[in-house]
């Protein structure tokens, strides 16, 4: 007995649909495998996985949330870049404009700010989860090192973004922060000069921090994340009881 | 198969006689029959089992973030003014643990050397602890979890004790012990700021290690758990102290007496 073709059947059976989606509805194991393997965003996953790896109380989603917050930060960050002016003259006023006259500007800024703080916490706690479950042990030792580098990159991303509002909070936090860096033995003064691009925080500092924040460090983070995620699979998936 | 594997590399393929070649072909064909959808007992399909977890947690989190962002505005103080230093001036909260350490010892030691050593040591953990025991078990074992609890309590008490001790010895000034050594005992600045501080830090960590050795007879993994927990707790205790208990002139104060909002 053939059932009648519905509208949905016609759409999903059309040449246009089939040219985009190469598999049928994922209610069979074959299609469930194809949907993962044929989609560029999903194929970061294996097709099948150990049952324990789906337990939320094992990972607390912390690594996934860190990545998700990175995505939120990229999206809201790009939107903020449309309005933000990286000049010591115009930065503060553009912040005021984003808050007062840009549609959803305040919301975008808030989401960017709170995910940035959240990402620092999530990445740190993710490190704790990986440590306390012994997931750094061979063969995952190099991925642990990549993870430490990602933690440092997260700190630097947050730190460089901190200056951009160009208010008193930003200015003096970065003053204190770069003084800490400048206290390094032997190379301290040079580190401080490289960070600030000047003897005190000014236009050259702002453009350095801005460039690091919106392009250089996100690329570094993306590069390290690509390695990090790839290695999870190559090292046998997420860890679990032996 | 084993015979083939044992052949010297580069030996000509013709040496494999016809019967063996057939067997090899069978082996290859047999493997091809294993489909990606063949599930073992302890396996599930990523779609839907994992993808659902990811999607739900992403949606729930995005909801929480959106509500938070509607309710709480990001801070924006007055325009930056290099001539007006706020009191206290504070680094971003996740560096306030370093700023807290700056109050107690030499700046290079607190701000650069100690954090660098900590990060390098953390990155090196898997090269010291290579045994696969305890993978996938939170805290490795009951003993491991007891060690976590002990290390947490020990580190918290020692840190708070040292902050208060510095406050008492320094009589309300910064660099309590260091300044005391310099002004009252006439020692050079670096003796108090670098030598004394290093001895105290190493001494505190060493005391904890010895106590744990005596009390728990830990494995290498469990000892590393104790040290990592010490780092973890130190990071947050000092960050909280720097964020919520340091007021004007970086003096100890209660959170409700703090002059400025800091985020």
């Amino acid at each position: 007995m053939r059932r009648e073709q519905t509208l949905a059947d016609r759409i999903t059976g059309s040449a246009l649909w089939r040219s985009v989606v190469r598999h049928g509805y994922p209610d069979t194991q074959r299609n469930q495998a194809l949907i993962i393997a044929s989609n560029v965003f999903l194929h970061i996953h294996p097709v099948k996985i150990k049952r324990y790896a789906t337990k939320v109380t094992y990972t607390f989603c912390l690594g996934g949330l860190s990545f998700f917050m990175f995505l939120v930060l990229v999206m809201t960050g790009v939107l903020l870049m449309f309005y933000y002016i990286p000049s010591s003259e115009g930065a503060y006023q553009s912040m005021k404009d984003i808050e007062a006259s840009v549609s959803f500007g305040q919301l975008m800024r808030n989401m960017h700010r709170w995910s940035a703080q959240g990402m620092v916490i999530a990445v740190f706690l993710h490190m704790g989860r990986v440590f306390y479950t012994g997931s750094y042990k061979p063969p995952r030792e190099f991925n642990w090192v990549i993870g430490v580098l990602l933690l440092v990159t997260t700190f630097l991303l947050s730190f460089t973004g901190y200056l951009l509002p160009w208010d008193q909070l930003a200015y003096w936090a970065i003053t204190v922060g770069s003084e800490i860096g400048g206290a390094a033995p032997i190379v301290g003064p040079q580190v401080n000069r490289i960070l600030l691009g000047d003897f005190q925080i000014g236009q050259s500092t702002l453009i350095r921090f801005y460039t690091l924040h919106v392009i250089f460090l996100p690329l570094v983070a993306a590069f390290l994340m690509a390695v990090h995620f790839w290695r999870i699979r190559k090292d046998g998936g997420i860890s679990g009881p032996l | 198969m084993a015979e083939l594997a044992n052949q010297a590399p580069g030996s000509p393929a013709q040496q494999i006689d016809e019967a063996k070649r057939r067997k090899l072909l069978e082996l290859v064909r047999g493997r091809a029959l294993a489909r990606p959808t063949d599930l073992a007992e302890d396996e599930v399909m990523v779609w839907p089992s994992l993808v659902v977890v990811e999607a739900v947690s992403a949606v729930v989190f995005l909801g929480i973030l959106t509500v938070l962002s509607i309710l709480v505005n990001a801070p924006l103080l007055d325009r930056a003014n290099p001539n007006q230093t706020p009191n206290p001036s504070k680094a971003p909260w996740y560096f306030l643990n370093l700023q807290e350490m700056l109050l107690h010892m030499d700046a290079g030691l607190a701000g650069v050397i100690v954090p660098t050593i900590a990060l390098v040591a953390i990155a090196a953990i898997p090269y010291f602890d290579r045994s696969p025991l305890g993978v996938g078990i939170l805290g490795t074992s009951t003993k491991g979890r007891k060690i976590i609890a002990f290390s947490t309590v020990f580190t918290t008490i020692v840190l708070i004790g040292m902050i208060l001790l510095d406050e008492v010895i320094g009589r309300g000034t910064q660099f309590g012990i260091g300044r005391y050594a310099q002004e009252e005992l006439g020692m050079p600045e670096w003796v108090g700021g670098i030598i004394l501080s290093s001895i105290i830090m190493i001494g505190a960590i060493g005391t904890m290690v010895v106590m744990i050795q005596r009390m728990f007879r830990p494995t290498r993994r469990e000892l590393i758990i104790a040290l990592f927990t010490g780092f973890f707790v130190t990071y947050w205790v000092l960050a909280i102290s720097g964020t919520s208990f340091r007021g004007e002139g970086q003096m100890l104060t209660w959170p409700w007496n703090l002059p400025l909002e800091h985020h």
Side-chain angles (χ1 to χ4, degrees), chain B residues 34-224:
Chain B
R35 299 240 170 83
T37 47
D38 288 346
L39 277 180
E41 271 289 276
D42 58 346
E43 285 179 330
V44 289
M45 294 302 288
V46 163
W47 184 293
S49 300
L50 179 62
V51 180
V52 161
V53 175
E54 291 174 342
V56 168
S57 57
V59 170
V60 167
F61 178 76
L62 191 61
I64 294 170
L65 178 68
T66 309
V67 170
L68 176 74
S69 299
I70 289 169
L71 295 179
V72 191
N73 280 346
L76 188 66
L77 308 184
D78 291 337
R79 191 179 189 280
N81 182 356
N83 300 318
Q84 192 194 345
T85 314
N87 190 358
S89 293
K90 291 191 180 182
W93 64 263
Y94 42 83
F95 287 153
L96 281 182
N97 31 43
L98 299 183
Q99 207 180 341
E100 174 69 40
M101 279 167 56
L102 282 177
L103 299 175
H104 304 284
M105 62 188 83
D106 176 75
L109 186 65
V112 182
I113 297 174
V114 170
T116 305
I117 291 175
L119 278 175
V120 171
I122 288 168
I125 289 173
Y127 299 95
F128 287 99
D129 172 26
R130 303 188 63 80
S131 79
L133 287 172
V135 173
I137 302 157
L138 199 67
T140 294
S141 59
T142 315
K143 193 167 83 173
R145 288 187 283 273
K146 275 185 191 158
I147 288 175
I148 293 172
F150 177 81
S151 181
T152 303
V153 172
F154 180 91
T155 310
T156 309
I157 291 174
V158 166
L159 285 174
I160 294 174
M162 289 205 297
I163 290 172
L164 292 177
L165 188 70
D166 237 16
E167 183 81 2
V168 171
I169 291 179
R171 290 181 222 96
T173 55
Q174 293 177 17
F175 305 112
I177 292 173
R179 182 168 294 196
Y180 183 81
Q182 193 185 343
E183 288 175 1
E184 304 288 323
L185 309 176
M187 293 174 176
E189 199 182 334
W190 55 270
V191 173
I194 300 176
I195 307 290
L196 263 180
S197 310
S198 303
I199 291 173
I200 290 169
M201 281 188 287
I202 295 167
I205 297 167
T207 307
M208 188 181 80
V209 168
V210 170
M211 283 176 82
I212 284 175
Q213 295 272 26
R214 292 263 168 87
M215 291 166 66
F216 297 100
R217 309 233 157 260
T219 62
R220 183 180 276 201
R221 157 78 174 153
E222 285 159 348
L223 194 59
I224 291 174

Side-chain angles (χ1 to χ4, degrees), chain A residues 17-51:
Chain A
W17 181 274
R18 300 295 296 173
S19 74
V20 180
V21 183
R22 298 243 182 244
H23 50 75
Y25 191 79
D27 53 0
T28 65
Q29 280 198 2
R30 184 174 180 277
N31 283 336
Q32 287 170 349
L34 280 174
I35 201 169
I36 296 293
S38 65
N39 181 301
V40 67
F41 303 107
L42 290 174
H43 96 287
I44 195 168
H45 300 103
V47 162
K48 52 194 177 178
I49 197 170
K50 296 277 186 207
R51 191 181 299 279

Side-chain angles (χ1 to χ4, degrees), chain B residues 217-249:
Chain B
R217 309 233 157 260
T219 62
R220 183 180 276 201
R221 157 78 174 153
E222 285 159 348
L223 194 59
I224 291 174
I225 286 179
L227 291 171
F228 184 85
T229 306
F231 161 78
F232 212 78
V233 172
T234 303
Y235 184 93
W236 291 106
V237 168
L238 292 187
I240 291 168
S241 159
T243 311
S244 307
F245 293 92
R246 290 286 173 185
E248 265 182 42

